[in-house]
Amino acid sequence: MPLDDRSFGAFLFDMDGTVLNSIAVAERVWTAWAEKRGVDAIALLATVHGRKAIETITRLDLSGIDPAEEVRLLTQAEIEDVSGVEPIAGAIGFLRSLPSDRWAIVTSAPRELAKVRIAAAGIPWPEILIAGEDVQHGKPAPDGFMLAARKLAQPIEECLIFEDAPAGIEAAEASGASVLVISAPHRTPLFTRHPTIEDYDRVSAGIDANGRLHLSPRSD
């Protein structure tokens, strides 16, 4: 593993596609919305992951709609649909192995949606959850990751960010942190210069003599 000789002050995790898989739900809801609004669903689905819904809808510049109301409707639809939401393999055990004050989840999703999905997937609840409404600028801006690092009292340069989507990877790069890409949810390979692991089944976390987090491959 390329990162097994490094140590870190904290781990920061994206949510969707990184610790849990909600792609099926997101694609169902966004496809239905796109068809209703006359938007190319296939093209839209290529852009929605990892970004705030309000930013996605605003960029479409559709006439005759209130973007905030569309986001409310989309969010409610996603809250009501948790069918197929499940943890990324090994994520539950991996997160439980970490000290609670050394990791956070940073998501573009609204807090209420994040709460529903974390519960549906059985993911441990983080002491620090940065949701979409907690920052003015969502991914690919680094604001969410920077805020999480401050709340954990760790320099962002000493953090490792776990991400899966291009917008999130861009945000992680802009923050100055190290990046590890999770590939499990992707139907096609995601080309990236960063170290990549499929899921958490073959990786474990530990604490070194200096109290810093490190990763190591699992052989069992």
Side-chain angles (χ1 to χ4, degrees):
M1 180 188 301
L3 292 171
D4 59 3
D5 60 347
R6 296 279 309 280
S7 63
F8 302 93
F11 291 162
L12 310 180
F13 299 87
D14 173 50
M15 184 182 72
D16 295 299
T18 300
V19 295
L20 61 85
N21 190 340
S22 61
I23 288 178
V25 176
E27 293 191 348
R28 281 196 299 272
V29 170
W30 278 96
T31 296
W33 180 85
E35 291 173 350
K36 180 180 178 181
R37 293 302 183 193
V39 174
D40 182 336
I42 294 176
L44 180 64
L45 291 179
T47 68
V48 299
H49 298 296
R51 295 178 181 268
K52 284 185 176 184
I54 188 69
E55 294 173 357
T56 297
I57 293 172
T58 301
R59 285 203 313 274
L60 293 172
D61 196 26
L62 301 176
S63 62
I65 70 165
D66 176 359
E69 176 62 12
E70 299 301 307
V71 170
R72 188 191 69 79
L73 294 171
L74 279 162
T75 301
Q76 189 59 39
E78 290 187 294
I79 287 173
E80 294 173 357
D81 183 356
V82 295
S83 178
V85 175
E86 58 187 12
I88 300 295
I92 293 175
F94 185 83
L95 293 174
R96 285 178 176 166
S97 75
L98 302 176
S100 61
D101 61 346
R102 304 290 289 281
W103 67 280
I105 288 179
V106 181
T107 178
S108 297
R111 182 170 297 271
E112 287 305 307
L113 177 57
K115 288 167 64 176
V116 168
R117 288 189 173 165
I118 289 170
I123 297 296
W125 183 256
E127 287 190 2
I128 302 297
L129 170 66
I130 306 300
E133 60 264 44
D134 294 325
V135 292
Q136 182 176 357
H137 303 292
K139 302 172 186 178
D143 302 31
F145 291 125
M146 303 289 286
L147 178 58
R150 289 197 300 272
K151 285 182 173 290
L152 291 170
Q154 297 288 338
I156 189 64
E157 296 82 5
E158 298 296 322
C159 294
L160 175 63
I161 293 175
F162 295 69
E163 260 289 355
D164 78 295
I169 293 170
E170 185 178 340
E173 291 171 342
S175 75
S178 298
V179 184
L180 180 61
V181 176
I182 304 298
S183 66
H186 294 279
R187 299 185 182 96
T188 57
L190 179 65
F191 295 101
T192 176
R193 63 184 175 86
H194 300 291
T196 300
I197 58 174
E198 182 176 357
D199 53 43
Y200 302 88
D201 270 345
R202 289 292 177 262
V203 64
S204 61
I207 302 177
D208 65 20
N210 296 315
R212 292 171 59 80
L213 300 173
H214 63 87
L215 294 173
S216 59
R218 292 177 57 183
S219 57
D220 57 340

